[in-house]
Each structure stands twice: as structure tokens, then as C-alpha cells.
Amino acid sequence: MEPTNARPVLDLQNITMAFGGLIAVRELSLQIEAGQLFGLIGPNGAGKTTIFNIITGQYTPTEGQVFFNGQDITGWKPNAITEAGIARTFQNIRLFTSMTVLENVLVAYHVRQKTKLWQSILFTPGYLREERRMRTAGLELLEKVGLADLANKKAGALPYGQQRRLEIARALATNPKLLLLDEPAAGMNPEETSRLTEFISEIRDEFNLTVLLIEHDMSLVMTVCEQIRVLDYGTTIAHGTPVQIQQNSRVIEAYLGEAKEYA
Amino acid sequence: MKRSTQVTLTSISLLLLAAAIWWASGNLNSYYSRVANTAAIYITAAVSFNLINGVVGELSLGPNGFMALGGYTAAILLLPVAQKEMVYFLEPMVWPLGSFSLPPQLFIVALLAAGIIAGIGAFIVGWPCLRLKGDYLAIATFGFGEIIIVLANNLLSVTNGALGIKGLPELTNLWWTWGTAVVTILVVKNLVNSTYGRAMRAIRDNEVAAEAMGINVTKTKMIAFVVSGFFGGVSGALLTILISTISPTLFMFTMTFNLLIIIVLGGLGSITGSVLTAIIFTVLQELLRTVEAPFSLGFIQLPGVPGMRMVVFSALLVVLMLYYRKGICGSWEFSWEWLLRKLGRKEVDQWNQPMQDQY
């Protein structure tokens, strides 16, 4: 990847997140450049999902600031942050299970649609045009992610791998610039994981995205990510390219424990 | 199915309904037309109540409060000035309410005012409560309903207290009640199927994900709550004018309880379910009058027990919750496509098409 001179898309500055006495994230700084595929790894409880929740506004950090495209978004509400261009998926899938696959995607278009409440109640021509436009766009998007033939199925009835895929599609429908994927390969078999690996690179190029992902599946992380940050107990223990990370002794320690303990 | 076909079918059925009302207005005796009016009022109240409880999935227990607000608004606006001086003998009516009244021709203005006042009430209750997650709305709306009753009992110069207001012009007829019911159904149906309705259903399914998809949760809930309050107020006004009297006892918590029975039995979130059970409920309430009358088993004479009907309903509710948890309709909705399929027209492929194009 060619170096970019622009300012980072996402810029976390000295983020600390404390839950009472528990400090989940400690003075973390992180910059992600446009177009990067950035991996965030670490053992359970390292604070990865907490960072996602801070970026997307579910939590307000105890200290520090979050900048998105140079704008301070610390303390914004989740929906405002999505509107600004950050979308996410969830570790434990959170689809709108009673709605169809297409409707799940259409919900995500709501934030970008322009019609007023009264127009949608009266089904004015303007509203119907907008609705038709959203449906066409939604079906196109489902086509791209390979879910088009399931458009009218209930989301809750999809097999696991496709639910994951739909969650990503739904996040893409909000038209994000930065996409956060929280353990997208969790619970997938190796074949599904390798398909997902391709899928993530594809959508990055196709939708011009910057991607930040949390993952435990090392094959996926090492294949797809350009930069990796390793966390343990809320602090950074390593940072670099996949090759650098694989050789880092502190990372091996954090994952496997210190060598001497087992000697 | 094309949208134009649906519009045509809907228009035809509305014309049939209009014909039925026209026939009923001339031919039903006052008892049957009272039942028919009550059914339509229950439809309006239940469908609007279902919007917040079923579609958005927020438990509200305050529709009796909104109906009371609407009922009192309409009563105060429509009671003739001469009548006002007679009715408010404990304390004269507060200025300017006592010095004017709407002529009967402006019934619709009174209905709209009733809806708007109830909608404002909903906004005031919703403003603090809809920000919070959890059961706060249930508690706050329950409290709201009780407060309205207490106010109605004590604001003598506005509501005439426990004596209530009597001698209201009897303006409610089948056209008004069923017309309102149709408007409510159409508005709520369109709202639920619109992009705003999708946002509401998304909140019901998963509030965290909905917010992460950019939906302004508080605002969306507020829209549902205020629309629900508006139509609740209108239904309260219709009921008040139908029985031409209002007192605090008319809109006690029992009203909310009745509406809860209706929407739960019908299927939370299903407009069709609310409409069907509203009608069934009204009819059953009449049929079950017999269980409150004294009757004899031959060897033993049982006295009439007022309130026995509610016991029957409660038992019915328990049975349904045990065996039919999703209610009569579940989340099913009536649609013309469904009807045509049932009638055996060859549109079976609708199921397998990637998009059932309604537009």
C-alpha cells in the first residue's frame, strides 16, 4: 500500500476507559489511515470491544478524545456517529430478526433518506420514489454480498455465516467511510472464514472503506490486515505488520504465557 | 401485485363499508348501533395503542390518560354555554372555557383538538421517559393515567370534578366512529410500512443495533408515542360524545386493561389482530352480560355479580397466554395478496419472487 500523507481517518488520543475501579483501556492512542485494513487483536478482556464501543459512541471515554476525519466525535450519540460515517457489526450478531433480509438493509438506509414523516404516512409520490430508490439500492447491495436470493427471508432464519454477512451488508448500507468489524469470523468453520477473508478485502476496495477489525482467528487477521495492534489489559503491547507481530516475543507471551512458567 | 390494484381493492372495500354504515344508520336499533360504535372506538384506541406497545415494543400503560385528556377536551369544547352554567354549579367554569362553545357542526375541530391535546400530553410524558431504557415508560405512563384521573376529580372549575359533565350533544354516529377507525388504521398501517415504521420495528428487535444503524431512537419512539396519543385522544373524545357524559370513572385503569387484553389477544404489533379482537371484545362484552345477571340452576339461585365479565376475560387471557402466546394473529397482517391467494387465484408465485413489489 502506498503511503498516504492525509491526516488519519480515525485518531484516538490517550483514551482511558474506567468502569469503576476496573480500567478496561489505558491511555491508548491509535491512528488509522484512509484505506487501511487495520487489525486489533489481543487476549480476551484486553479491551478490544470496549474500544469499539468508545468509537461508536456506546461508551464515552473517561479520558481522551476520538477524532474522525479531524472532527472531535467524543461523546456523540451512536446514531450521530453512524451518520458521520462509522458503521459497525457486533460480536454477538444483532440482526433485526423478525424483519426480512431486505428490510434489515433498508433500516440502515433510514438515516440517509430525506422524506418527512407526513410524506411517508400519506405515501406521497416523493416518498414512493425514495422508497423505490432505497429498495433498488438495497437489492443491488444484497446482490453484491451474495444475499439477493434471500431478500424476502426472515433474517433470523438465515444460517450463521449468512447472518454475519448480512450484518456486514447492513453496516455497508449506512454508507460508511470507516467500517468496524467485531470478530466477524467468530463461530465460522475454516471454509467460511476463508470466504470471509476474501469478502473483507473485496468490500474494502469496492466501497472505498477503511476497515478496523477485531479478530481471534489468526489466519484471517494475518492474511487480511496491513497493520496490526496487539492489546493486553487495555494497553498496547505491539504494533506493526503481520510479519512483525508474528515474531514479537511480547505477543507470544501474552497469548501463550511466559515461556519459563511452563519450562 | 401492483400498487394500483391494491388501491382499487381498498377503495372498493371502503365503499362497501360506507354502504354498510349507510344501511346500518337507518336500520339498526339504538342498542346495536351503540355496540357498533363502541367496537369502532375500541378499534381506534387499540390500533393506536398497539403502535407503541406492539410495533415499537415499549410498554405503555397510559392510554386511559390520553383518552381522558381527549374526552375532557371534546366535552369542554362542545358543551353549550347555557348547559355549562347549569352543570358547573359547584364552581363556575374557569375563563375563557365557560364563555364559549363549539357549534355541533364543528365536531371535527373538537376531535382534532382532543387528539392534539392528548398528543401534547404524550410528548410531555415521553420527553423524559423515552430516553431511558427499561420499564420506566410503563411506570411513568401508569402514573400519568392516575394523575389525569386525580386532576379530573379535583380541578372543579375545569372538569366539574367527580360529578362529571352531562348533557353533551350526541354527535357521535357510525360515520364518525368508523370513519375515524378507518383513518387510524390507514395512518398506522402506512406509518408501520414506511421507513419510519421500519425504524420502529428495528428498535423493537434490537435497540442497540438500531442505534448503531443511525436511527435516532428517542425521536423515533417519540413519533410513535405522540401518534399513538393523538388517536387515543380522538377515541376518548368519540366515546365521551357517544355516551354524552364524562366523569373520571369513565377512563379508569380498567380502560387500559381492556386495551391491553385486545392488543395482546390480537397479537402484539398486528393491526389486523387489534381490529379483529377489538370487535370480538366489544361483542363478547355484550354477550357476557348474561353471566352478571342472577340466574338459577334449578336447585340453587345465584345472585348477579357485577364485574363477572372481567373474570371471564381474565381467565380467557390466562388460557390464551398458555396456549396461544402470540395472540390470534401473531405478527400476521391482512393483505390483498393473501386474500387472492386464499381465493385460489394464480398468483402463487408471489411467495418466491425476490421482491413483493408493492410500489
Side-chain angles (χ1 to χ4, degrees):
Chain A
M1 212 185 101
E2 56 202 289
T4 43
N5 51 1
R7 61 169 175 226
V9 168
L10 184 72
D11 188 358
L12 304 185
Q13 294 192 344
N14 290 316
I15 297 284
T16 297
M17 183 79 222
F19 298 100
L22 176 80
I23 296 177
V25 178
R26 193 188 297 271
E27 290 173 16
L28 181 99
S29 291
L30 180 78
Q31 283 80 36
I32 301 177
E33 279 159 24
Q36 246 179 356
L37 244 161
F38 198 103
L40 198 58
I41 65 174
N44 286 328
K48 305 177 301 278
T49 300
T50 307
I51 292 173
F52 267 32
N53 286 339
I54 290 169
I55 298 172
T56 55
Q58 260 96 32
Y59 300 154
T60 304
T62 319
E63 273 170 55
Q65 281 162 308
V66 184
F67 291 91
F68 176 63
N69 280 331
Q71 191 172 23
D72 187 353
I73 58 166
T74 324
W76 285 24
K77 294 192 83 185
N79 56 298
I81 289 176
T82 307
E83 209 173 333
I86 300 181
R88 73 172 292 180
T89 65
F90 294 89
Q91 191 175 342
N92 42 351
I93 303 177
R94 290 175 181 271
L95 289 173
F96 307 126
T97 46
S98 74
M99 301 166 76
T100 66
V101 169
L102 179 61
E103 281 180 316
N104 265 269
V105 171
L106 293 178
V107 166
Y109 284 129
H110 182 65
V111 61
R112 307 263 177 239
Q113 66 95 31
K114 300 278 187 299
T115 49
K116 297 269 175 288
L117 179 67
W118 65 267
Q119 289 176 303
S120 64
I121 289 179
L122 294 178
F123 274 23
T124 60
Y127 169 76
L128 291 176
R129 256 199 311 281
E130 180 95 7
E131 179 78 22
R132 223 175 296 133
R133 189 188 60 71
M134 286 199 283
R135 275 173 188 264
T136 315
L139 282 173
E140 268 171 31
L141 178 66
L142 289 177
E143 191 78 51
K144 278 180 192 162
V145 301
L147 292 172
D149 45 340
L150 301 170
N152 278 335
K153 283 261 182 326
K154 286 260 185 295
L158 294 187
Y160 188 79
Q162 283 171 329
Q163 292 202 2
R164 284 266 171 220
R165 206 167 257 256
L166 175 57
E167 244 207 344
I168 298 177
R170 193 180 61 172
L172 290 174
T174 63
N175 195 14
K177 295 178 194 74
L178 173 65
L179 179 63
L180 311 182
L181 303 174
D182 197 345
E183 297 199 24
M188 283 188 172
N189 61 37
E191 197 207 318
E192 285 175 320
T193 307
S194 80
R195 234 181 294 149
L196 179 74
T197 312
E198 281 169 38
F199 180 59
I200 292 172
S201 319
E202 272 170 34
I203 55 170
R204 193 263 306 258
D205 299 336
E206 168 120 34
F207 295 91
N208 245 331
L209 294 171
T210 308
V211 179
L212 171 60
L213 68 93
I214 294 176
E215 188 49 71
H216 281 300
D217 188 298
M218 286 305 140
S219 72
L220 187 147
V221 176
M222 295 302 166
T223 320
V224 91
C225 295
E226 289 142 357
Q227 284 287 317
I228 295 174
R229 173 71 69 101
V230 189
L231 298 182
D232 195 15
Y233 295 110
T235 50
T236 304
I237 59 170
H239 185 182
T241 63
V243 180
Q244 290 169 329
I245 297 294
Q246 275 167 323
Q247 290 159 354
N248 188 303
S249 58
R250 286 189 68 190
V251 177
I252 298 169
E253 236 171 62
Y255 268 90
L256 301 177
E258 283 177 62
K260 59 190 170 193
E261 277 178 33
Y262 299 94
Chain B
M1 186 190 289
K2 281 213 182 99
R3 187 167 160 71
S4 53
T5 324
Q6 293 185 328
V7 172
T8 316
L9 286 170
T10 308
S11 312
I12 291 172
S13 51
L14 285 180
L15 281 177
L16 288 176
L17 178 68
I21 294 172
W22 178 77
W23 176 85
S25 309
N27 291 289
L28 288 187
N29 65 31
S30 66
Y31 173 69
Y32 284 116
S33 82
R34 163 77 66 97
V35 175
N37 277 318
T38 314
I41 291 169
Y42 266 124
I43 289 175
T44 307
V47 168
S48 61
F49 187 39
N50 204 356
L51 181 64
I52 187 77
N53 277 30
V55 178
V56 187
E58 287 284 313
L59 180 59
S60 155
L61 295 175
N64 61 323
F66 301 126
M67 289 177 80
L69 271 182
Y72 272 106
T73 306
I76 290 166
L77 286 177
L78 287 167
L79 190 69
V81 175
Q83 195 80 14
K84 278 178 178 171
E85 280 160 16
M86 273 162 54
V87 169
Y88 286 74
F89 61 84
L90 286 175
E91 255 184 57
M93 205 172 187
V94 67
W95 187 88
L97 296 178
S99 53
F100 80 98
S101 79
L102 288 177
Q105 300 90 308
L106 291 181
F107 186 34
I108 183 134
V109 176
L111 286 183
L112 288 175
I116 289 166
I117 295 287
I120 293 172
F123 186 82
I124 293 169
V125 183
W127 185 257
C129 297
L130 292 174
R131 279 150 213 284
L132 305 166
K133 298 184 170 77
D135 300 328
Y136 300 98
L137 187 73
I139 297 160
T141 46
F142 177 71
F144 172 78
E146 295 302 303
I147 289 170
I148 294 293
I149 304 297
V150 171
L151 285 179
N153 268 317
N154 292 290
L155 278 179
L156 289 179
S157 60
V158 180
T159 65
N160 203 29
L163 293 175
I165 302 169
K166 290 175 193 68
L168 293 163
E170 291 184 43
L171 299 169
T172 302
N173 58 31
L174 288 168
W175 291 105
W176 282 110
T177 53
W178 283 91
T180 310
V182 166
V183 169
T184 311
I185 293 168
L186 289 180
V187 167
V188 172
K189 176 192 143 301
N190 278 6
L191 179 61
V192 169
N193 289 331
S194 77
T195 177
Y196 289 89
R198 273 196 301 267
M200 290 168 194
R201 284 177 285 148
I203 292 172
R204 176 188 63 192
D205 277 8
N206 198 317
E207 189 165 336
V208 174
E211 203 171 23
M213 290 305 116
I215 290 167
N216 187 333
V217 172
T218 310
K219 185 180 154 197
T220 308
K221 283 181 184 172
M222 188 61 102
I223 290 172
F225 199 51
V226 170
V227 171
S228 175
F230 177 88
F231 286 108
V234 174
S235 69
L238 284 171
L239 185 60
T240 303
I241 305 299
L242 175 69
I243 58 183
S244 81
T245 165
I246 185 172
S247 69
T249 49
L250 182 58
F251 297 108
M252 301 286 264
F253 188 69
T254 343
M255 179 59 83
T256 295
F257 186 70
N258 289 349
L259 292 173
L260 263 179
I261 292 180
I262 290 174
I263 64 170
V264 172
L265 289 192
L268 281 173
S270 169
I271 299 171
T272 317
S274 295
V275 173
L276 291 179
T277 36
I279 296 171
I280 294 170
F281 182 87
T282 317
V283 173
L284 266 187
Q285 260 202 331
E286 295 305 319
L287 293 180
L288 287 176
R289 277 186 195 285
T290 47
V291 302
E292 292 188 2
F295 62 101
S296 110
L297 287 174
F299 56 94
I300 187 168
Q301 201 70 21
L302 292 172
V305 185
M308 201 60 195
R309 281 183 292 172
M310 284 326 281
V311 176
V312 175
F313 275 117
S314 307
L316 191 65
L317 192 63
V318 171
V319 171
L320 267 138
M321 281 305 99
L322 284 176
Y323 298 106
Y324 231 79
R325 201 157 300 160
K326 289 186 159 177
I328 295 172
C329 292
S331 54
W332 178 80
E333 286 295 355
F334 172 83
S335 69
W336 291 115
E337 273 134 16
W338 172 85
L339 187 67
L340 291 183
R341 247 194 331 270
K342 280 277 156 188
L343 293 176
R345 287 268 299 275
K346 280 291 149 210
E347 305 208 24
V348 185
D349 283 343
Q350 291 281 351
W351 274 127
N352 299 320
Q353 276 174 13
M355 179 168 69
Q356 295 176 8
D357 195 354
Q358 313 171 9
Y359 301 97

